[in-house]
Amino acid sequence: HILFRLHSSLTGDASGNLYAAFGFSIVKVSADGTMTTVAGEMDQSGYADGVGSAARFKRIGGMTTDAAGNLYVADTFNQSIRKVTPAGIVSTVVGQAGVRGVQLGVAGRLNQPVSLAVGTRHGRPALFILNRTHQWDWQKSVAYPYLEGADYPPGLYGQSDVNVVSVPLP
């Protein structure tokens, strides 16, 4: 089934539920094995905050949960971090779809965030984001060395530094 060929991330919560990203959707697998779509649509890319299937993601990267059961999603190609509440309400925590760069604050910007973790910074809950430090530079792209001699031509991968940024959680 196509659903299982498009997975990209997996995380769990304190209640024993698993959350998996399939295509452009997030599926919850409860402890009893029941599968339900929490947010997004598997085959519909885009950007929209909303409830359940009305929400849209462009490329789901890493996911993590906090103690309250909220799910945080790195929406990599929308340059944003999205929050999904236990009720399925999706909102943007930081970043702006289509706007790249590294700038935090009210009008914060991210550059292809790929992974997340919930932790503590200065004694307060925080969300840690693995993020590229600058925009993709095709002029500095290099052939990936492990693909040499393969049956297909080497792909081009941009050279890019990454950093970890943190955002305080309420």
Side-chain angles (χ1 to χ4, degrees):
H1 193 274
I2 192 167
L3 174 73
F4 296 104
R5 287 187 269 154
L6 298 173
H7 64 283
S8 61
S9 187
L10 180 70
T11 193
D13 67 15
S15 299
N17 300 305
L18 290 176
Y19 296 88
F22 292 113
F24 306 108
S25 67
I26 299 167
V27 174
K28 174 182 170 181
V29 181
S30 64
D32 68 4
T34 305
M35 273 179 67
T36 55
T37 300
V38 175
E41 289 282 340
M42 186 184 71
D43 59 353
Q44 294 185 21
S45 173
Y47 177 83
D49 287 339
V51 180
S53 62
R56 294 289 177 266
F57 302 91
K58 197 163 186 182
R59 164 61 170 92
I60 298 172
M63 299 187 299
T64 191
T65 56
D66 66 12
N70 296 304
L71 179 68
Y72 293 90
V73 179
D75 193 355
T76 304
F77 293 160
N78 275 327
Q79 323 305 332
S80 60
I81 302 302
R82 316 288 289 288
K83 176 182 175 181
V84 183
T85 68
I89 300 168
V90 178
S91 60
T92 301
V93 175
V94 66
Q96 301 173 46
V99 180
R100 299 172 92 175
V102 179
Q103 173 186 334
L104 297 180
V106 175
R109 291 188 291 227
L110 297 173
N111 192 44
Q112 294 187 351
V114 293
S115 189
L116 304 169
V118 170
T120 306
R121 182 161 191 223
H122 304 298
R124 296 188 56 213
L127 185 64
F128 296 91
I129 306 163
L130 183 63
N131 185 61
R132 292 186 188 278
T133 57
H134 60 279
Q135 294 190 23
W136 195 268
D137 187 348
W138 288 105
Q139 300 299 318
K140 295 181 181 177
S141 295
V142 296
Y144 192 71
Y146 298 108
L147 297 179
E148 292 177 14
D151 293 333
Y152 47 90
L156 294 178
Y157 294 83
Q159 296 173 334
S160 179
D161 297 328
V162 295
N163 67 3
V164 175
V165 295
S166 66
V167 176
L169 292 176

